[in-house]
Every structure is written in structure tokens, then in C-alpha cells.
Amino acid sequence: MKPQIIRQSRSFRRLSSVSLAMLMFITLCYSFAWLLVELVVCIYKGFALPFTDVAFGFELVALFLFEGVVLLRYFLGNWGNRTESVWPLVWHLLLSIPLFVGAAYYLRLQVYVLVVDVVMNALMLLFLVVETASALVTMINFCRHLAG
């Protein structure tokens, strides 16, 4: 008895993006490294530079809020990519806006900006831009497939 070969129909096409999944994972890993470095830098600034308690507290809270948005965005993007759903990717893209604002704040607008802040946040912005562009292309592919 010969084994039966099951062939997929030619109309089935996988739309989920491997490159988006890889970019999201790389951005997630980098965001954890970013959080650790920014925590160390923030603590250094708190001890070495004249910092008000309000500004120091704001920057610490903002670090953890930033990371929370990164985690939520990763979950939604991963879910939307794997299930080939548009709405989780829309939320993924919408959550990119506060991340761009946060990375820009840590890049140029915080009380004291060190060189390590500029390097870490420029890389974070680069990862966010590339990942957002990939998510947008993937979402457009999903929409085209849904339209027929």
C-alpha cells in the first residue's frame, strides 16, 4: 500500500509575513536591552546630576509605560500576523504613534540627554520605523486578499 500524498489546493496562499514576525521579535529583544540600559542611565543621572524628584519619577514611570506599550504592540502584531487579521495590525500600527513620541522624547527632550541615550533611542526609532513599514505592507496584503 502506497502512502497517500495530500496536496494543497492552488488557491490557498499563506499571507502571514515571516519578515514581520522576525522584525517584531528583534524589536522586542532590543526593547528589553533598551529598558535595562535606560534604567542604568536614569539611575546614574539621578545620582550624578541635579535632578528634581518629579522629573526623575516621570522618566522612570515613562520607561515602564514605554515597555508596556511595546509588549502590547508585540502581542497585537504577532496575533494579527499569525491569524492574518487586519484589526490587530491596525491597533499594532496605532500603538506605534506613542512609541515614536516616547523614543523621540528620550532622544531629544528629556532633562539630560547623554550620548548613550542618543544611540539607544536612534536605534529604537530605526527598529520601529522598519517594523511599522513591514506591518503596513503586511496589512495591505491582508486587505487585498480580503477584497478579492
Side-chain angles (χ1 to χ4, degrees):
M1 189 176 221
K2 290 184 179 180
Q4 198 174 24
I5 299 173
I6 300 173
R7 294 190 177 134
Q8 293 179 346
S9 70
R10 294 183 191 262
S11 63
F12 177 76
R13 194 173 127 198
R14 189 170 307 263
L15 298 174
S16 59
S17 172
V18 174
S19 62
L20 176 60
M22 288 173 35
L23 284 169
M24 285 189 303
F25 182 73
I26 291 169
T27 303
L28 181 70
C29 292
Y30 181 75
S31 73
F32 286 127
W34 175 88
L35 179 66
L36 290 175
V37 169
E38 288 295 324
L39 274 173
V40 169
V41 168
C42 194
I43 291 169
Y44 164 75
K45 289 181 203 177
F47 286 117
L49 301 169
F51 228 101
T52 64
D53 290 338
V54 173
F56 183 71
F58 173 76
E59 289 197 10
L60 274 178
V61 168
L63 279 175
F64 288 104
L65 286 175
F66 187 91
E67 192 63 29
V69 173
V70 167
L71 290 172
L72 179 62
R73 183 174 174 265
Y74 173 77
F75 169 75
L76 289 170
N78 200 16
W79 178 31
N81 188 31
R82 288 185 183 198
T83 61
E84 299 177 0
S85 303
V86 175
W87 283 109
L89 283 178
V90 169
W91 283 106
H92 173 83
L93 291 173
L94 288 176
L95 285 173
S96 299
I97 296 168
L99 292 182
F100 285 128
V101 170
Y105 170 79
Y106 280 107
L107 181 67
R108 301 292 295 164
L109 301 174
Q110 61 183 326
V111 177
Y112 297 107
V113 180
L114 302 179
V115 174
V116 69
D117 288 323
V118 172
V119 171
M120 294 297 288
N121 289 296
L123 283 172
M124 178 60 85
L125 278 172
L126 176 71
F127 284 132
L128 289 174
V129 165
V130 172
E131 182 188 331
T132 301
S134 180
L136 189 61
V137 168
T138 302
M139 189 181 73
I140 289 170
N141 284 338
F142 292 170
C143 290
R144 282 185 183 165
H145 181 73
L146 287 174

